[in-house]
Amino acid sequence: MKLYDYYRSSACFRVRIALNLKGLDYQAVPVHLINHGGEQFSDAYQKINPQQLVPSLQDGDKVLTQSLAIIEYLDETHPSPPLLPADPYQKSLVRSFALAIAADLHPLNNLRVWKYLMSHLKLPEEQKNSWYHHWMKIGLDALEKKLLSHHQNMSYCFGDQPTLADICLVPQLFNARRFAFDLGAYPTLVRIDANCQKHPAFVKAWPEEASADVKG
């Protein structure tokens, strides 16, 4: 398998965690989102992913895009350990938590949105950071409340094994810290994040642990 990867991308971070949890070997192919005006816009990469986004996963002659779709593909083709619960209700809870990050929170704070805010709307750095903190607070407030409504001091978001929810949470909190967002109001999320950071699959996926080749 080949993972078209950018080491700081939250979406790529998620897929690296999933691959590591599954114990799967893969070749990382760097796609630097800033160098040379953004390597994701190259003609060669557009043939792989017409959306010009990372990650993309190539498995044999199949190419998959969108991090959650890739992770569910990995979960179905390599079912152990499972990343989604078997119980339909619990599975829905995990998916809901993951989508609250991947579909609602993260898209408002990713690189292409920031570039538009600064290059086209001419927002100064202070206002860009205010945008980021505003949406981060709304998203994390809801996630903290969601876990508190059913959480029973479990090691991870929905039990004692990592799931898709944890795979999405950790990169989002990593980004929050990068941009100086105060996580003091989210003790449950921070505690789970700390547990994840002790897990080898998460450690190996960490941006700082990515190889120099992946960093580009």
Side-chain angles (χ1 to χ4, degrees), residues 39-102:
E39 294 174 356
Q40 69 275 27
F41 302 123
S42 70
D43 291 341
Y45 188 67
Q46 286 188 59
K47 292 177 182 177
I48 295 165
N49 187 340
Q51 273 195 293
Q52 305 170 6
L53 299 173
V54 291
S56 300
L57 183 74
Q58 185 173 350
D59 185 13
D61 60 356
K62 299 183 288 290
V63 176
L64 301 100
T65 62
Q66 292 291 336
S67 63
L68 267 60
I70 292 170
I71 292 167
E72 292 210 26
Y73 168 83
L74 294 173
D75 205 33
E76 292 173 1
T77 55
H78 301 84
S80 181
L83 302 179
L84 288 164
D87 176 77
Y89 175 64
Q90 291 297 318
K91 184 181 293 185
S92 177
L93 289 178
V94 170
R95 281 188 171 132
S96 173
F97 188 97
L99 286 166
I101 295 173

Side-chain angles (χ1 to χ4, degrees), residues 170-183:
V170 169
Q172 196 62 54
L173 295 194
F174 174 85
N175 255 349
R177 293 185 179 101
R178 275 188 67 212
F179 295 101
F181 181 80
D182 184 4
L183 295 172

Side-chain angles (χ1 to χ4, degrees), residues 1-5 11-29 55-59 64 67 70-75 77-78 80-81 83 167 199-202 204-205:
M1 281 189 283
K2 290 182 180 180
L3 175 66
Y4 293 85
D5 188 17
C12 292
F13 195 170
R14 296 171 200 146
V15 175
R16 293 197 303 268
I17 295 168
L19 286 163
N20 294 340
L21 285 168
K22 297 292 186 180
L24 297 172
D25 292 328
Y26 65 94
Q27 175 189 355
V29 180
S56 300
L57 183 74
Q58 185 173 350
D59 185 13
L64 301 100
S67 63
I70 292 170
I71 292 167
E72 292 210 26
Y73 168 83
L74 294 173
D75 205 33
T77 55
H78 301 84
S80 181
L83 302 179
I167 289 171
H199 194 297
F202 288 80
K204 186 179 178 183

Side-chain angles (χ1 to χ4, degrees), residues 2-211:
K2 290 182 180 180
L3 175 66
Y4 293 85
D5 188 17
Y6 179 58
Y7 74 116
R8 279 185 178 165
S9 160
S10 295
C12 292
F13 195 170
R14 296 171 200 146
V15 175
R16 293 197 303 268
I17 295 168
L19 286 163
N20 294 340
L21 285 168
K22 297 292 186 180
L24 297 172
D25 292 328
Y26 65 94
Q27 175 189 355
V29 180
V31 180
H32 203 292
L33 301 188
I34 298 173
N35 285 356
H36 313 297
E39 294 174 356
Q40 69 275 27
F41 302 123
S42 70
D43 291 341
Y45 188 67
Q46 286 188 59
K47 292 177 182 177
I48 295 165
N49 187 340
Q51 273 195 293
Q52 305 170 6
L53 299 173
V54 291
S56 300
L57 183 74
Q58 185 173 350
D59 185 13
D61 60 356
K62 299 183 288 290
V63 176
L64 301 100
T65 62
Q66 292 291 336
S67 63
L68 267 60
I70 292 170
I71 292 167
E72 292 210 26
Y73 168 83
L74 294 173
D75 205 33
E76 292 173 1
T77 55
H78 301 84
S80 181
L83 302 179
L84 288 164
D87 176 77
Y89 175 64
Q90 291 297 318
K91 184 181 293 185
S92 177
L93 289 178
V94 170
R95 281 188 171 132
S96 173
F97 188 97
L99 286 166
I101 295 173
D104 294 333
L105 177 54
H106 174 242
L108 291 166
N109 293 300
N110 69 10
L111 180 63
R112 62 179 180 167
V113 170
W114 282 25
K115 282 185 173 181
Y116 186 82
L117 291 174
M118 299 185 75
S119 300
H120 293 269
L121 300 184
K122 307 300 182 183
L123 263 63
E125 185 78 12
E126 182 180 352
Q127 289 187 29
K128 183 203 75 173
N129 290 336
S130 177
W131 165 281
Y132 180 91
H133 286 203
H134 171 78
W135 293 113
M136 187 67 68
K137 182 179 186 307
I138 289 175
L140 295 186
D141 281 356
L143 294 176
E144 179 78 8
K145 290 175 183 176
K146 184 183 288 284
L147 289 187
L148 286 175
S149 69
H150 67 82
H151 209 267
Q152 297 179 355
N153 203 36
M154 295 178 285
S155 298
Y156 299 99
C157 289
F158 293 93
D160 294 320
Q161 297 295 327
T163 66
L164 180 61
D166 306 281
I167 289 171
C168 289
L169 174 65
V170 169
Q172 196 62 54
L173 295 194
F174 174 85
N175 255 349
R177 293 185 179 101
R178 275 188 67 212
F179 295 101
F181 181 80
D182 184 4
L183 295 172
Y186 313 105
T188 307
L189 299 180
V190 169
R191 180 179 62 77
I192 292 168
D193 176 69
N195 289 336
C196 290
Q197 290 190 44
K198 298 173 186 175
H199 194 297
F202 288 80
V203 173
K204 186 179 178 183
W206 214 254
E208 283 80 359
E209 295 298 320
S211 71

